[in-house]
Every structure is written in structure tokens, then in C-alpha cells.
Amino acid sequence: MAINGAEPGTALLLAAAPAGKGRLTDAGSVIPALAAVPPSAWTGTAAATLIELTDPTEPQAVLTRVRGAAATAGPLTLVLVGQLLVDRRQQALHLALARTTPTTTRYTALPWAWLVQELQQRRPDTTTVFLDLVADGAAWQQLLDAPLALSSAARWFGVIAPPPRRRHTAHPRYTHALAQILRTGQRPDADQLHQQALRRVEIEDAIVLGPQPPAAAAATPPALDPPEPAPVAPVPAQTARAVSPVYVPSTAVVPVEEDPHPRIVAASEAGHHYEAAQLAAAAEQRALQAFGPGTHTAVHWIEVRAFLAARAQEPATACELWLTAAQTRLDALQQAPDSPEVVAAVDQAHHHWERIRDVARARQLAPQLITARRRVPGSQRGALEAAQRKVEQLNSCGASPAQGR
């Protein structure tokens, strides 16, 4: 992506918002998507370290992590998702943390000036910051009166949105778009990545850091955060999830020296489907040994294998793997039935189940699919009813030669 250099890079992902009524944005929801991007894609280096902070509670602890990242010699990319507010006494901007309330801002939120000061110490042209923030009323008014203070040592990109309507919560669509772009295997520089992300989201009334898209592009109806991979509708499955690597558990700092995804993608695109599947299976075994089953890392590799099965024209295998991924996300990871990753997994399972030509195999997978559809209605209206009608058709058919395995 952005910066190239011999030194290993560092990517720091910080997503935080207050709990309860003070929450203006669902910041933490984007962390799995962001962390599923290779750290090297964020930093533009062959080796990189990923630091993930999800809903931290202590400003000093966050400062320590930021300070440690800023002290590294290699390229640094910060992705900040959350909300800005103003402390009532000094009227200074703060980044809200999990325990922040309007009356405790000075003690429970991260002063914006601290962040700027740490980044100011870095060498020029080694730091990139992506912001996806929502401002509360007081912070928004302050930003309208004076621009946000930024470190001149870093390049800044992103959006700051005004307060959402009452009883509404904003969603970090800009950072979701960043993750979607990078997880396809694209590696645009920071300017291009920012522009591509803006074209996918609604930026009306928002403050944009970095260049805005041309007027013609801005007028294009935005594609607001479609679920990944593509739903049951006629979008080819192979466009969905070309790459999306290892998820790193919250607050972990993990060096990543070799990403297996480029080899897997290259083998798949060359038509070497068995080789790609073997590479993915080996990566899954390493993930299971390192992180255990029922983890984000493990479910990621199930989804990679499902994607590869679809590319190899094996819809039954793809369906089965997507169903396994959906069940793992629901039961082991406790993700909500309407979360984008769960909906995408069930939609993909349904999509490939419809393409199984072996009637016996389709019947075998039907109960699991119907169960998944009852739990996850999905993005397509009437999906459960459509699956039930298909089951009735299958039950009225005789067995056919084994195809589409």
C-alpha cells in the first residue's frame, strides 16, 4: 500500500466508543474486518506487526501502545475508529474510550493532543493515519469553527461525521470500505485507497481529511457496506473474498513474517485448485495449533477453503464449509445473526447449495441449511421460503448421477 521500506512496519487498529446511551458509533464492529487485512497491506512492508485495541478503558494504557508504535523505526499506519467529544472544563477534544461519559471525559478519554504529539516525533513520510470518527454536538461545533489539529509528520485520511440522529448509532462504513478493498488483494497507495473507499460510502455533511473524490464520482450512488462475500443474488462467488488473512486477538501484538495468501491466490487464479486447497488446509492447521478451534483465525481459513472450493466448481464443498463457518461464528464466536460476517456466510452457503447438481448431496445438506436460514434470514427477502421450496422439489425428484461435488 502506502509506504515502502526495509524496516518492518507497524499497524495499530484502535476502535473505541462509550457503552450505553453515550455511544454514537458501533466502533468495535469493524475490528474483525480490519484485522483480517494482512498487516503488510496496511504498512506496505514485507513484514509487519499488528496491534489491535478494541474498546480500551484506560487513556494511559492507550497512550503507552501509541507511544510504543510511534517509537518504531519502520512505517506506521494507524486506523482510528470512534467518536470525538469535548471535555467540559477545558473544551479540549478527546477520543472517547469504553468508559467515557460526558462528565468524566478528562479522566476516561484519550486527549487528542496526546495522539498528535506522539506522531509529531516521527520521521516525515513514515506515518499514515486513517480516521473514521463521529463527533458529538460540542465537538462538531468546534470542528466547524476550527480544523482538527493534525501532526505534520503524518499523512491523514478519513471522515469525521456529525452526530447521528437521536436514538441512531453510526456505523464505520469508511473503514469497512478500506478493509473490503484491501481484502480483495488490491494494494493501492494511501491516496488511491482513500479515494476508492470514499466512492463506496455516503460522505454528505462529513468532514473529509485528504482529497475528496471528483464531483462525478461523488454523485454516484454509494454502495453502503455490502456484506462480504456477495449474497445469494447472481454475483459470482469468486468475486467475494479473494484474500482475508489472520485475525489477531484483541490487544495482541503479533509479528507477521510470511503471509500465505498470495501463494494461495496465485495457485487458484492459475487453475491449480488442488494446490491452493492444500496450501489453505495447511494454513488452517497452523492456525488451529496456534489459536485453537472456534477462533476468528480458524473460521477465516474455513472461509478461505470455501472460497477456493467455489473457484474449483465444487458447490457442495463450498456450501458445507460456509455452513460450518456460519455455525462457528454464531456459536463459538457469539456473533449476532445479523452481523455482516454471519449473514455473508449463510448467504454464500445458500448460493452454492442452489448450484449442487447431485440431488442426494443437496438433500443431505438441506437440513443444516434450513436451520441456518431460520437463525439468519439474511439479506434477501424470502430466502428461507425459497430454500424450503427447493427442498420440496428435491424430495420429489429421483436421485441423479453424482455431479457438482
Side-chain angles (χ1 to χ4, degrees):
M1 189 188 73
I3 310 167
N4 292 311
E7 294 283 350
T10 302
L12 191 154
L13 314 180
L14 169 58
K21 295 181 180 179
R23 182 182 292 263
L24 301 181
T25 180
D26 188 12
S29 66
V30 77
I31 275 289
L34 293 175
V37 174
S40 58
W42 287 120
T43 63
T45 57
T49 295
L50 178 66
I51 304 171
E52 178 202 326
L53 301 174
T54 305
D55 279 331
T57 59
E58 300 296 333
Q60 288 289 346
V62 175
L63 176 63
T64 298
R65 286 302 187 92
V66 172
R67 182 170 291 163
T72 60
L76 171 65
T77 298
L78 272 70
V79 183
L80 305 179
V81 186
Q83 65 190 65
L84 290 173
L85 39 73
V86 176
D87 78 88
R88 295 178 176 178
R89 182 173 180 179
Q90 297 182 337
Q91 295 296 299
L93 280 173
H94 288 65
L95 186 67
L97 301 181
R99 294 180 182 170
T100 301
T101 66
T103 57
T104 64
T105 299
R106 290 185 63 204
Y107 311 103
T108 60
L110 180 72
W112 185 257
W114 289 7
L115 178 67
V116 173
Q117 182 178 357
E118 293 303 323
L119 298 184
Q120 193 62 36
Q121 312 303 316
R122 289 188 49 86
R123 292 183 292 112
D125 301 322
T126 61
T127 309
T128 303
V129 184
F130 292 101
L131 303 178
D132 195 347
L133 304 176
V134 177
D136 73 357
W140 183 251
Q141 187 57 53
Q142 190 173 123
L143 292 172
L144 293 179
D145 294 337
L148 181 67
L150 305 175
S151 165
S152 59
R155 298 184 299 166
W156 297 78
F157 303 91
V159 294
I160 306 174
R165 299 191 307 275
R166 188 180 179 186
R167 296 180 181 175
H168 283 74
T169 303
H171 295 279
R173 302 191 186 282
Y174 172 78
T175 41
H176 263 298
L178 296 178
Q180 288 171 3
I181 293 164
L182 293 177
R183 287 169 68 177
T184 65
Q186 300 179 59
R187 297 295 180 262
D189 62 29
D191 287 328
Q192 294 172 331
L193 177 61
H194 168 73
Q195 292 283 356
Q196 292 179 30
L198 289 182
R199 292 189 179 99
R200 295 177 176 228
V201 300
E202 177 61 66
I203 60 172
E204 184 178 0
D205 297 330
I207 297 171
V208 177
L209 303 181
Q212 296 196 34
T220 303
L224 293 181
D225 228 11
E228 304 172 24
V232 176
V235 180
Q238 53 263 41
T239 65
R241 195 187 286 253
V243 222
S244 55
V246 176
Y247 175 88
V248 181
S250 179
T251 72
V253 182
V254 178
V256 179
E257 297 180 356
E258 183 180 357
D259 177 11
H261 291 79
R263 290 180 62 199
I264 294 171
V265 172
S268 177
E269 291 180 346
H272 303 152
H273 301 300
Y274 179 78
E275 178 187 351
Q278 290 294 100
L279 289 169
E284 181 182 11
Q285 289 304 310
R286 289 195 297 272
L288 288 171
Q289 292 171 5
F291 296 95
T295 61
H296 283 277
T297 308
V299 78
H300 160 71
W301 286 108
I302 295 172
E303 293 176 352
V304 168
R305 290 173 55 214
F307 165 76
L308 294 172
R311 289 292 297 267
Q313 302 298 313
E314 298 176 357
T317 301
C319 171
E320 185 173 20
L321 287 168
W322 279 117
L323 287 171
T324 300
Q327 184 176 352
T328 303
R329 288 188 177 280
L330 286 166
D331 298 336
L333 299 179
Q334 296 291 297
Q335 290 185 256
D338 61 349
S339 65
E341 293 84 0
V342 172
V343 171
V346 176
D347 283 352
Q348 279 287 357
H350 193 162
H351 173 76
H352 294 297
W353 180 72
E354 291 278 359
R355 282 151 181 76
I356 300 173
R357 296 183 181 180
D358 180 351
V359 173
R361 189 77 170 103
R363 282 177 180 157
Q364 184 183 28
L365 290 170
Q368 192 178 351
L369 178 69
I370 295 297
T371 299
R373 266 291 171 227
R374 288 195 175 115
R375 298 180 71 183
V376 184
S379 57
Q380 303 292 316
R381 277 191 175 185
L384 174 59
E385 292 78 7
Q388 290 171 330
R389 287 194 298 271
K390 177 77 171 182
V391 171
E392 292 175 1
Q393 294 172 7
L394 291 171
N395 289 337
S396 66
C397 293
S400 64
Q403 297 177 359
R405 289 183 184 272

